[in-house]
Amino acid sequence: MTTTAEDRLQDYRRTLRGWLGEHVPANPTGDVEEAKAFQAALYDAGYSGITWPKDSGGQGLGQAEQQIFAEEAAAFEMPVRPFLISMGMCGPTIVDLGTDEQKRRYLPPLLRGEEIWCQLFSEPGAGSDVASLQCKAVPDGDGWVLTGQKVWTSNAQWADYGAILARTDPDRPKHGGITMFVVDMRAPGVTVRPLVDMTGGAPFNEVYLDAVRVGPGDVLGEVNGGWSAAVTMLGHERVTISGLRQKRSNGLTFDSLAELGRRHGADPVARDRLADLYAHQRVLELFNARMRQETVAGAAPGSRGSVGKLAGAMLLRRAVDTAGHLAGANMVAWEDGDAGAESVELGINSTPASNIAGGTNEIQRGIIGDRILGLPREPQVDRGVAFRELKVGTQTSAAGATAEQAEKGVS
């Protein structure tokens, strides 16, 4: 009897579906220990790091298995939120840029859920211009000492390690003097404070670093090559964010909004909006499936990750508009116990943050225009100017960027 590739994939789907049905908690508590136990079970069952190389602790399988996992998992509320950044951003970047020692040390416990990671890029004075960061790393013996502040750091409250960008050479232009380090989030000098948003939750944190020491083996990539490492991680981040399959209990998916339309009645305008939403959701799913296939084949997502990130943010806005049309007055008042209405409200309140996370829509449009469409770059007066001469954040330039320097930087 011959077993075809299609037979094998059907077996994979059937086995996975049964495993998920048996092991996913019916009502996840959101507790991090519950999440760790579930992630360990995923790893033991062979469903963690499905497409990662085996020598990096992964399963070494193909895009087809990854796609099946995404499709089947979408039916469940899996308690994996603490591992989104570990699995989608930091881990893939270590696979790309890490030394053999870093891969052996960090990837297996990351895949098993024993250690949680966060990404420390954003700063209060840098906004969406990550390269204006002021957190500094000063050489100290054979290592470095980190001092500064980060903000909007997801999962820092649980994290054991973080991938952090710090300025290592202020005499270079702002993109050229940055290094990425691995920092122990339990080290002396690291302070994490939660930031409560309008949903009542605290999905973000601010992180203070007060003379935190890191060693020479903690450099991820190359010294002063941190911007290239950041671009690599941001590419993975945008693919991850845009490729998140919406859980069927999410109030802003097509399925949820179509059900809302059945309950409240859908006029021709609502039907048109639902059809538009379905088309855009399906196109984004296909785009992300192709991106994952190319990534598995060895092609870095690069700037194309911005396309998926922007499309995902615009899809959410469409969903919010459609929800408002369907729900009407129920958008602002509903009966107690109406889980569907509460889910829609939570989705609407969290949409602004989703549009900012991973870079604003304006940043994505700039990247797409410059690097994909080949449009002329916007004027940059700081190009070629040493970072210490710039007035950014709380930094007051020592000499001030002269008009001549500024003129030189205009492209």
Side-chain angles (χ1 to χ4, degrees), residues 2-16:
T2 301
T3 301
T4 67
E6 184 61 30
D7 291 336
R8 184 180 59 77
L9 291 175
Q10 287 183 4
D11 286 343
Y12 185 85
R13 183 185 293 277
R14 189 162 38 248
T15 303
L16 169 63

Side-chain angles (χ1 to χ4, degrees), residues 23-286:
H23 290 85
V24 176
N27 297 295
T29 63
D31 181 78
V32 69
E33 294 304 321
E34 175 190 64
K36 284 188 172 184
F38 181 75
Q39 183 66 27
L42 270 178
Y43 179 84
D44 291 340
Y47 299 127
S48 177
I50 292 172
T51 60
W52 291 24
K54 286 190 174 181
D55 59 5
S56 294
Q59 304 300 325
L61 298 176
Q63 174 57 30
E65 287 84 354
Q66 182 66 61
Q67 183 68 24
I68 289 172
F69 183 88
E71 292 171 0
E72 294 297 324
F76 297 89
E77 292 280 353
M78 297 204 304
V80 295
R81 178 184 162 209
F83 307 106
L84 176 63
I85 294 173
S86 303
M87 298 293 300
M89 303 162 201
C90 296
T93 303
I94 296 173
V95 171
D96 290 341
L97 305 177
T99 63
D100 290 341
E101 182 177 352
Q102 288 171 333
K103 292 177 183 177
R104 284 194 297 271
R105 165 61 187 87
Y106 295 121
L107 293 179
L110 182 154
L111 286 167
R112 291 194 297 266
E114 296 168 355
E115 294 174 347
I116 299 174
W117 284 66
C118 65
Q119 176 200 75
L120 298 140
F121 283 13
S122 296
E123 296 189 9
S128 292
D129 184 9
V130 175
S132 291
L133 63 88
Q134 290 180 263
C135 178
K136 60 183 179 182
V138 178
D140 181 49
D142 61 350
W144 305 76
V145 173
L146 298 171
T147 303
Q149 180 188 356
K150 299 291 179 177
V151 73
W152 310 125
T153 308
S154 303
N155 293 356
Q157 72 272 35
W158 300 311
D160 301 285
Y161 292 95
I164 186 169
L165 292 178
R167 189 159 303 282
T168 41
D169 189 350
D171 290 321
R172 297 189 183 207
K174 65 179 185 179
H175 292 87
I178 297 171
T179 301
M180 182 180 288
F181 297 93
V182 175
V183 61
D184 182 349
M185 295 296 289
R186 317 290 187 193
V190 177
T191 302
V192 178
R193 296 177 179 170
L195 291 170
V196 179
D197 67 13
M198 64 182 178
T199 68
F204 305 113
N205 302 271
E206 53 185 357
V207 180
Y208 294 87
L209 301 113
D210 182 11
V212 179
R213 182 173 175 76
V214 292
D218 295 323
V219 174
L220 187 52
E222 298 180 355
V223 173
N224 293 323
W227 185 249
S228 176
V231 169
T232 297
M233 185 174 288
L234 288 170
H236 289 301
E237 177 181 12
R238 287 160 186 158
V239 171
T240 297
I241 292 175
S242 66
L244 287 177
R245 292 186 68 85
Q246 301 289 317
K247 299 177 181 65
R248 292 177 186 173
S249 60
N250 185 310
L252 295 182
T253 63
F254 168 79
D255 289 340
S256 297
L257 293 176
E259 176 58 28
L260 187 66
R262 293 186 191 97
R263 285 194 282 128
H264 291 275
D267 58 28
V269 174
R271 291 172 182 271
D272 182 69
R273 291 189 178 190
L274 283 169
D276 178 76
L277 183 67
Y278 176 83
H280 281 83
Q281 181 174 301
R282 186 60 183 146
V283 168
L284 181 58
E285 289 173 351
L286 293 173

